Structures are given as C-alpha cells and as structure tokens.
Amino acid sequence: MPGLRPFAEITYLFAEFERTAWRLETRRGYASDRQGERFKAFMRGVEPQPEPDHPWNVNVRERTAQGAQFSRVRIVDDPPTDGQRFLMATAAGNVAAGEDIRVLSRAEAARLELPDFDLWLFDSRTLVRMHIDDTDTTIGVEVIEDPEQVLAACRARDAAWRTAVPTAAAWAQVRSSM
C-alpha cells in the first residue's frame, strides 16, 4: 500500500508531540500481546504486574510531568475477548504512569460511527492510521495531515471520550462477572 511506513518510523511522535496523544483501539486482540509471556501467564490465571520501568511508562511519566496528555479509548466486546481482558488487566500500570485509558462497548462505538481502524491522534493535527492484518499484526502506518481526515478523527475522539468509562471501572465489572 502506498504511503505505508513501519511503525518504528513514527515513534518519535510519542516524544515530540506538544499537548495530546490519543489512541483509538478497535481490535479484539493484538498479536504482539498474544506472543508475550505476560499474556500467556494471564491466560493461566496470573494477574499481570505493573511494569513501571517499561520504556512506554517511562516516556508517559516524563511527558505528563511536562504537561502533555496521553489518553486512549479501547473498544470492547460483550463479553470481552481474552485480548481485551488482558488489556484491561494491564492498564493499571499505564494509568499509574499518567495515561488516561477508557473503555467503550463495541455497540456504542457502532452507534457513534467511530472508525473501524486503530489510530493515534497527535495534537489534533497529525493522524496516524494503523494498518493491522487478519492475524492482528501491525503491518504499517500512514501519517495523515489532511485537515478533513484529521477533523474526522478529532470528532471521533470527542464522541468516544464523552461516553467511555475509566478502564478500572470496566475491569472491575468484568472481573465480578467472571
């Protein structure tokens, strides 16, 4: 696909954005999670422990200390898939680092007509559309600065954010029903 770049080529955006980095997660799971030992342990009933020294969390702490904001909305099914449950179980470490993570039901996401693809939105002006294959593997990203597409992503962010619930509350509800 023309314009597709490796994800590694855009990682600088996480250190260089000025005010806000927002993510929409639409997948039922991610190959990178399923391949990791934490996911495998989670599937055996081991509760994931926070990883405060993980590079992601270190960057989030540093950037939020400078006044930047990291946030995301995760779309989940009813009932949540194993991958979605894992993401909710591991979110506490990201939240402790300073990220605001919320959850939205897939039915509500459909009602709001949210995009059906994962994305990052930086400073409400740079859209990174993630391309993920049928195995839930990220195959590349598009960096989009077209004002119409960025505005559509901003509208999706605002709509999702208004109705999403904090991940800790969603995870507590899921755990109580297990």
Side-chain angles (χ1 to χ4, degrees):
M1 169 175 261
L4 211 55
R5 304 181 192 183
F7 184 83
E9 285 186 13
I10 61 98
T11 58
Y12 70 92
L13 290 168
F14 297 99
E16 294 182 5
F17 74 93
E18 294 174 25
R19 295 173 308 281
T20 60
W22 181 76
R23 169 91 187 257
L24 177 65
E25 292 182 351
T26 65
R27 307 295 292 193
R28 290 175 168 87
Y30 297 89
S32 58
D33 290 337
R34 288 191 301 273
Q35 295 163 0
E37 290 307 314
R38 289 178 84 205
F39 181 83
K40 293 172 186 172
F42 176 74
M43 294 307 297
R44 294 190 308 270
V46 177
E47 193 73 22
Q49 297 303 306
E51 297 178 313
D53 296 327
H54 188 281
W56 176 261
N57 291 327
V58 170
N59 184 56
V60 169
R61 270 195 313 278
E62 290 172 356
R63 296 304 321 278
T64 56
Q66 298 165 357
Q69 295 177 342
F70 280 88
S71 56
R72 69 177 79 204
V73 170
R74 290 179 167 147
I75 297 173
V76 296
D77 294 288
D78 184 20
T81 65
D82 291 339
Q84 292 163 346
R85 289 186 314 105
F86 175 73
L87 289 171
M88 285 190 276
T90 59
N94 295 54
V95 171
E99 189 173 355
D100 190 347
I101 303 175
R102 299 186 183 188
V103 175
L104 185 67
S105 73
R106 189 163 303 279
E108 183 66 5
R111 187 188 72 74
L112 295 170
E113 299 179 354
L114 296 181
D116 63 353
F117 55 88
D118 282 32
L119 63 90
W120 276 99
L121 181 60
F122 296 95
D123 294 324
S124 300
R125 67 174 179 247
T126 303
L127 168 63
V128 175
R129 180 180 176 160
M130 302 179 71
H131 290 264
I132 301 172
D133 69 14
D134 292 340
T135 69
D136 301 317
T137 302
T138 300
I139 57 172
V141 299
E142 284 179 87
V143 177
I144 301 166
E145 293 181 339
D146 171 66
E148 287 183 31
Q149 292 182 65
V150 171
L151 181 58
C154 290
R155 287 181 177 143
R157 175 200 58 209
D158 296 347
W161 199 252
R162 278 193 296 275
T163 55
V165 299
T167 195
W171 180 229
Q173 185 176 14
V174 168
R175 290 181 72 175
S176 71
S177 66
M178 292 171 55

